[in-house]
Structure formats: C-alpha cells, structure tokens
Amino acid sequence: MGRDVESLHHVGHVVSDMAEGLELYRRLGFHLSPPAYPMLSPREGEAPRPFGAGNSHANFPRSFIELVSCVRDDDPDRLPAGAKRIPLRAPPEHLPRITASIRSTVAKIASCLSRFQGLHILVFKTPDAHAAAGRLSSEGVPHGGVNTVPVPVDTAQGTRVAPLGLLEIDSEDPESAGSGRVPEGRIAMAESPGTEVLDAQLYMDHPNGAVGLVESVLCVAQAALPEVERRYARYLGRPARADGPARAFDLEGSRVTLVADADLEAMLPGERAPALPAFVAYAVAVRDAGAARRLLEENGFPLRVSASGDLFVPAAAALGVAILFRQAA
C-alpha cells in the first residue's frame, strides 16, 4: 500500500489486578507470556523491588494483545505466579530519569483505571516511525516524536531484543498537550521486529485458535463522530468508509471502527460504553469459530452474536471490553 501505517500492532487491556486478568485470558483460550515486571532499588544499596507496571502478551504472527496492570503501592512484592522480574540496571545518575519515566507511565495507567477497567491502548504498525512522524507533523497532528525503545521478544532460542521506533500521538487540546494521550486513551505508532524474529516468537499457540488481531472498536458521542473521523483520517492517512451507521478505516488485514453511542447496541447487542469516548471492543480472527465457541461455552462464558455475525464475550464478563471471535478467511 506504500503507507506509513500498515495495520493494527496491538491493543492494551488495562486491568486492576494482573492475576485476575491472566486467569480471564486463560479461560478465554489465550496463551499468555509470563507477566514481566521491572525491578528497581528504592534507594542505593537496597534490594530491587517491583516497580511501575507489569505486562503480559498474547502473541500472534504480526500483532498481539497486551495485558497491563500497575504494581500495588501497598504490596509491591505481590506478583502473580510465574512472573518475570526484570532488573533495571543503570548508573546512579540515570536512575532519577528512569524512575520519573516509569512513574509517568504508571500515572497514565492509573488515569485510565480511574475512567474504567478495559481497553485504553491502540497502537498501529508502521514500517518507518520517522516517516510517520514527518507526515503527522506536516498535517498538524501533535505527537511526542520518535523514541527508540528496546523490545524483548521471547523465542525458543532465548530472548532477543530489537531497538524499534515508537511515537505517541498527543491531544490537540492545549490543556492536555504533551500528555501522550488523546481523549479515548493512548494512541501510538510502532515499528515491529523483522519477520524472522516474529516467526520465532513464543506464546502463539492459543487453545481458542486465535491467529491475529483484526479490529478495534471506538465508541464516541453521536455529535463527536464527524470530528473523530477526521482525526483518525489524519492519523492513518486514509479516509473511512461507511459501514452501516459506523465508519471503518481499513488497514492491512485489520481495521478500526468508529461507532456512535446511539448505534453501539445495534452493533454489539447488550453493550454500553463505560465512558465517551472509549474503546469498547476488539476482534481476533480464529481458525475455527465453532471450536472457539465450544471452548468458551465449556469455560462458562455468556456469548452473544454481533450484527455482523461474530461471536463475542460481553464486556461485563471480560473485565470491561467486549471480545469478538471472527472466523479467519
């Protein structure tokens, strides 16, 4: 397509309790990586302790779902079984900057949870973060610039670390400038490791047969829909198409759907947005929708069917986000 935004990179589900989130996703039939937590010494000479936030991934060949939760201030050593502790080693003079960065991330996550438990992160895949940053700047979209971040990928041969470009889109509201957040949550663009690394990654054998992240659904107020559509058209460098009352931005093998709150019930029966705007659902493609249904029923989930015929677990049974299971092409 020759565009600087290719597809969905990942979505982030922010939960209050990581152990509860892990149990939910295992019952849903996802195979998750062990949750990873940064470890940092509170003061020089003291033993490292969990700090900031932990995350876990359900990986697919070209995308993933991220599960995120903050370390508990009242009990920082309480981690889920099997958690990986990642020591942060840095010269003492760099620790204040690292600590401040982690605290900023935790503040963003806490802000998300103050709105609701659920989906708050949407990241798009870009082949060139610097090219994407240049286009966004030329179109007047505020962003935080490109940062190079080390991305660890667990493979059968060990953990491989790839330095990749990442940029976060900022709010156009002057009062929120520089926050790294837009009204609905965190929107970012990220590069991905090479195919040889992605093909070797672990945690892709999901019992529910999931093979990819294919849709994220954003619900907005009816009156705000035209402006949000214009905003995402600038982010993605392409127009939306009409999909009934909704608006869909088609990407490579995936899409972002915008729906007004008045139309959400017709799209996803029984669903209500916890706030506006809000990411209310995401969809994964599965090899066998019938097999996925049987697994979900055996694990006691209530199931509904979307207007487009997709099976989904309602948000009330999935820690704040409706999860759709779509038959893979």
Side-chain angles (χ1 to χ4, degrees):
M1 293 169 60
R3 289 177 164 138
D4 55 44
V5 176
E6 294 179 334
S7 59
L8 295 181
H9 187 279
H10 73 272
V11 294
H13 188 170
V14 180
V15 297
S16 300
D17 184 277
M18 177 62 80
E20 184 181 19
L22 292 168
E23 176 61 22
L24 167 74
Y25 272 80
R26 288 167 182 149
R27 289 177 55 229
L28 287 166
F30 292 102
H31 185 188
L32 289 95
S33 63
Y37 288 84
M39 302 285 288
L40 195 65
S41 300
R43 285 168 289 277
E44 190 173 354
E46 293 189 11
R49 301 186 69 180
F51 179 68
N55 69 355
S56 175
H57 291 174
N59 292 326
F60 310 118
R62 300 294 178 267
S63 56
F64 63 90
I65 300 162
E66 182 181 28
L67 192 63
V68 187
S69 187
C70 294
V71 173
R72 290 182 51 165
D73 288 337
D74 61 337
D75 191 2
D77 293 307
R78 178 185 165 191
L79 301 183
K84 291 196 304 183
R85 294 165 169 80
I86 312 296
L88 298 179
R89 298 183 176 91
E93 64 270 20
H94 292 171
L95 285 178
R97 177 180 57 83
I98 294 172
T99 301
S101 175
I102 294 175
R103 289 194 187 281
S104 174
T105 298
V106 170
K108 292 176 184 178
I109 295 171
S111 177
C112 290
L113 283 172
S114 71
R115 292 186 73 213
F116 60 88
Q117 179 173 234
L119 207 64
H120 290 276
I121 300 168
L122 175 61
V123 181
F124 299 103
K125 179 182 175 183
T126 177
D128 186 335
H130 289 280
R135 178 182 62 80
L136 292 172
S137 295
S138 70
E139 296 181 3
V141 176
H143 61 83
V146 178
N147 293 305
T148 300
V149 296
V151 176
V153 180
D154 292 326
T155 73
Q157 292 73 42
T159 300
R160 300 176 65 173
V161 178
L164 301 171
L166 170 75
L167 71 87
E168 295 193 37
I169 292 175
D170 275 336
S171 172
E172 297 180 16
D173 180 354
E175 294 186 2
S176 302
S179 67
R181 290 190 62 204
V182 295
E184 58 270 23
R186 178 186 178 224
I187 307 293
M189 296 183 185
E191 297 171 351
S192 287
T195 301
E196 71 284 355
V197 175
L198 292 175
D199 287 345
Q201 67 184 333
L202 302 176
Y203 314 114
M204 293 197 295
D205 53 332
H206 305 289
N208 61 22
V211 294
L213 174 66
V214 293
E215 186 174 11
S216 179
V217 180
L218 172 61
C219 185
V220 303
Q222 181 77 57
L225 183 59
E227 178 53 37
V228 176
E229 180 181 345
R230 284 192 290 271
R231 181 155 56 88
Y232 273 77
R234 294 163 67 207
Y235 295 167
L236 301 174
R238 71 199 75 193
R241 64 174 172 83
D243 184 12
R247 297 292 181 268
F249 289 91
D250 293 319
L251 307 171
E252 294 182 9
S254 56
R255 69 180 183 235
V256 178
T257 299
L258 311 182
V259 61
D261 54 339
D263 298 313
L264 180 60
E265 166 74 23
M267 175 186 288
L268 298 173
E271 292 300 301
R272 297 287 187 276
L276 292 175
F279 296 112
V280 294
Y282 70 82
V284 294
V286 294
R287 286 188 293 268
D288 185 335
R293 174 189 280 274
R294 290 190 292 275
L295 181 147
L296 295 166
E297 288 176 338
E298 289 169 2
N299 288 339
F301 285 102
L303 299 176
R304 297 177 184 155
V305 178
S306 73
S308 59
D310 296 322
L311 184 74
F312 74 93
V313 174
L319 297 180
V321 59
I323 303 174
L324 289 78
F325 296 83
R326 180 171 300 157
Q327 178 64 52

